């Protein structure tokens, strides 16, 4: 059985990122920069161990950033990045992993798909696997005295992390070349003559280096730099004798009511299913079986609130939801904003992230015959 370790290098002082705490402990989109990489690698199913290398004077910041996680104690780094990596690799050698991914804490936007590609290339036989990006800008070299030279760029690539290696080979490489003036581990693999596979890097896998990079990283992490999923839901209920309906959490006076085990709020049921769908958490019938007496006459707002709590448990956030109510009557327009407001309240969202629309079926089908009404919903959820 092969095993894969991940080593996160976080011992730098981040001098170029401006004053204050070392950059890897500065908050970006609500978490210390380091934490984004730790979470990515710790949650990845193909990775067995995550080892972080820090500077000895960063112990307190490290504990604060990771206190709720079960991680091995940090390893202390050295003066240069290469010393830190070597210390980390030597600590990991006790577990003799097959592969190691070495990642810079300054890259909080690497994705699970990128990790998949690196590990995939190693498992396919590469000795090293490095995410690379083609160079789009034209490259210039200053030759002095106001003169410049244009460099051919076809064979040039930008290398990112995480970089993956056969563990024994990269450890031996670092031990054989302890003083090599390198800025990444692929350079050690090059010196060691290892076979290196290039995998597709990601433009968004920014290395946070300069103060303005924090602004870009914040924007990307806060607005979908992480994984986004969409779920859909559909529901229909039959009209029966009565004097009101519940739709999208709002009680509306009407010549009929909707039949159902709960309050028959098709709008909230469709939305609850959409959220469960985005989570991959089954459907509303599994969570609230109609055969269960507890849910007889239940308010559907409690179903939706439950779905929202599952989103929080998954450390995800609802980005947006959109509901279409399909009915001839009641008229939805006058209640639209009350519905949006109520849903936003239940989900703890800004009202701008909730949409309610309405349509008819032009007299066709069960909706057209006013036997009942239906609702569709889409929910978009971001996983940090
Ligand atoms: Mg229903």
């Amino acid at each position: 059985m092969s095993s894969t370790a991940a080593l996160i290098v976080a011992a730098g002082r981040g001098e170029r990122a401006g004053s204050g705490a070392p950059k890897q402990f500065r908050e970006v989109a609500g978490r210390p920069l380091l934490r984004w990489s730790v979470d990515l690698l710790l949650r990845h199913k193909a990775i067995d161990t995550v080892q972080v290398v820090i500077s000895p004077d960063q112990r307190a910041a490290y504990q604060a950033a990771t206190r709720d996680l079960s991680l091995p104690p940090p390893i202390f780094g050295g003066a240069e990045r290469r010393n830190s990596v070597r210390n980390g690799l030597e600590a990991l050698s006790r577990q003799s992993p097959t592969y190691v991914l070495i990642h810079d804490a300054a890259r909080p936007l690497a994705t699970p798909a990128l990790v998949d590609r690196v590990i995939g290339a190693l498992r396919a036989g590469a000795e090293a696997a490095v995410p690379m990006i083609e160079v789009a800008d034209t490259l210039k070299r200053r030759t002095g005295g106001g003169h410049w030279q244009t460099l051919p760029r076809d064979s040039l690539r930008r290398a990112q992390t995480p970089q993956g290696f056969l563990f024994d080979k990269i450890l031996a490489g670092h031990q054989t070349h302890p003083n090599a003036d390198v800025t990444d581990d692929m350079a050690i693999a090059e010196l060691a003559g290892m076979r290196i596979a290039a995998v597709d890097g990601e433009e968004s896998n920014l290395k946070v280096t300069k103060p303005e990079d924090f602004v870009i990283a914040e924007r990307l992490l806060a607005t979908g730099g992480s994984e986004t999923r969409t779920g859909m839901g559909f529901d229909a209920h039959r009209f029966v004798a009565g004097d009101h309906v519940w739709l999208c959490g709002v009680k509306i006076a009407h010549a009929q009511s909707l039949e159902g085990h709960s309050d028959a709020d098709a709008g909230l049921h469709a939305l609850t299913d959409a959220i469960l769908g985005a989570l991959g958490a089954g459907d509303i019938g599994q969570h609230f079986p109609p055969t269960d007496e507890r849910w007889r006459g239940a308010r559907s707002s409690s179903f939706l609130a439950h779905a929202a709590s599952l989103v929080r448990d998954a450390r995800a956030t609802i980005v947006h939801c959109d509901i279409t109510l399909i009915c001839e009557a009641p008229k939805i327009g006058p209640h639209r904003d009350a519905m949006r407001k109520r849903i936003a309240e239940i989900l703890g969202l800004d009202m701008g992230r909730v949409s309610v629309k309405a349509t008819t079926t032009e007299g066709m089908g069960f909706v057209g015959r006013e036997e009942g009404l239906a609702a569709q919903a889409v929910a978009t959820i971001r996983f940090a």
Side-chain angles (χ1 to χ4, degrees):
M1 258 303 271
S2 69
S3 65
T4 304
L7 186 66
I8 301 177
V9 191
R13 315 221 167 245
E15 284 121 355
R16 279 177 292 174
S19 57
K23 68 175 178 185
Q24 58 272 33
F25 297 106
R26 277 175 56 185
E27 289 233 335
V28 181
R31 295 187 218 175
L33 188 61
L34 165 67
R35 181 64 189 251
W36 291 94
S37 299
V38 171
D39 285 346
L40 167 75
L41 296 168
L42 205 53
R43 284 181 198 165
H44 198 286
K45 289 191 172 56
I47 292 174
D48 305 291
T49 316
V50 176
Q51 177 67 63
V52 184
V53 184
I54 62 168
S55 159
D57 56 5
Q58 295 164 353
R59 259 175 293 200
Y62 175 80
Q63 293 305 340
T66 60
R67 87 175 88 236
D68 57 319
L69 302 176
S70 63
L71 286 170
I75 297 299
F76 296 135
E80 302 289 336
R81 183 185 183 284
R82 61 175 182 266
N83 309 123
S84 299
V85 171
R86 185 174 155 186
N87 290 357
L89 291 173
E90 285 174 348
L92 283 171
S93 68
R94 287 191 286 274
Q95 303 165 42
S96 44
T98 318
Y99 308 116
V100 62
L101 266 54
I102 305 177
H103 188 48
D104 288 330
R107 293 190 189 267
L109 284 146
T111 65
L114 181 62
V115 174
D116 288 344
R117 290 197 290 278
V118 172
I119 294 176
L122 293 173
R123 288 180 176 169
E127 294 176 328
V130 176
M132 293 199 225
I133 301 240
E134 292 190 5
V135 179
D137 297 322
T138 304
L139 296 174
K140 307 290 182 183
R141 174 161 41 205
R142 192 201 302 269
T143 54
H147 296 285
W148 294 80
Q149 184 186 17
T150 299
L151 300 177
R153 67 181 179 201
D154 291 358
S155 64
L156 296 179
R157 298 290 183 271
R158 294 186 284 136
Q160 304 182 325
T161 73
Q163 300 182 351
F165 305 92
L166 284 182
F167 181 83
D168 292 343
K169 291 226 170 197
I170 196 66
L171 173 60
H174 271 279
Q175 288 170 336
T176 309
H177 303 279
N179 300 312
D181 185 16
V182 298
T183 53
D184 73 352
D185 303 288
M186 173 171 165
I188 295 291
E190 294 158 24
L191 290 171
M194 292 167 67
R195 280 180 294 107
I196 302 170
V199 304
D200 287 339
E202 294 173 343
E203 281 296 346
S204 57
N205 185 16
L206 170 76
K207 184 170 184 184
V208 176
T209 308
K210 302 182 292 292
E212 58 267 35
D213 297 335
F214 276 91
V215 178
I216 299 169
E218 174 91 30
R219 195 168 65 220
L220 291 171
L221 289 166
T223 59
S226 44
E227 187 176 351
T228 300
R229 295 187 200 166
T230 303
M232 59 173 286
F234 175 84
D235 195 31
H237 281 267
R238 183 186 295 275
F239 281 125
V240 291
D243 59 6
H244 70 275
V245 295
W246 281 96
L247 277 176
C248 293
V250 174
K251 187 177 181 180
I252 301 171
H254 189 55
Q256 302 177 89
S257 289
L258 291 168
E259 183 180 45
H261 186 66
S262 64
D263 63 13
D265 187 332
L268 292 192
H269 293 181
L271 179 56
T272 301
D273 256 356
I275 293 170
L276 294 174
L279 289 172
D283 61 30
I284 194 169
Q286 284 175 272
H287 290 267
F288 305 100
T291 49
D292 190 330
E293 279 306 307
R294 269 185 301 168
W295 313 121
R296 179 172 295 283
R299 295 287 292 276
S300 300
S301 55
S302 63
F303 302 162
L304 185 60
H306 173 72
S309 77
L310 295 178
V311 173
R312 285 190 294 276
D313 290 348
R315 301 177 66 189
T317 43
I318 300 170
V319 176
H320 183 258
C321 53
D322 183 20
I323 300 169
T324 300
L325 297 170
I326 308 164
C327 56
E328 300 290 335
K331 287 269 170 269
I332 301 303
H335 307 285
R336 184 196 309 267
D337 283 342
M339 292 172 169
R340 294 174 63 212
K341 183 161 178 281
R342 180 66 186 125
I343 291 167
E345 211 170 76
I346 298 166
L347 296 177
L349 292 181
D350 188 276
M351 200 168 134
R353 294 182 183 274
V354 180
S355 158
V356 174
K357 314 195 300 298
T359 188
T360 69
T361 58
E362 300 284 347
M364 297 178 287
F366 72 89
V367 169
R369 294 189 298 271
E370 298 194 50
E371 293 167 17
L373 57 70
Q376 289 181 327
V378 171
T380 305
I381 292 180
R382 188 177 68 236
F383 292 74

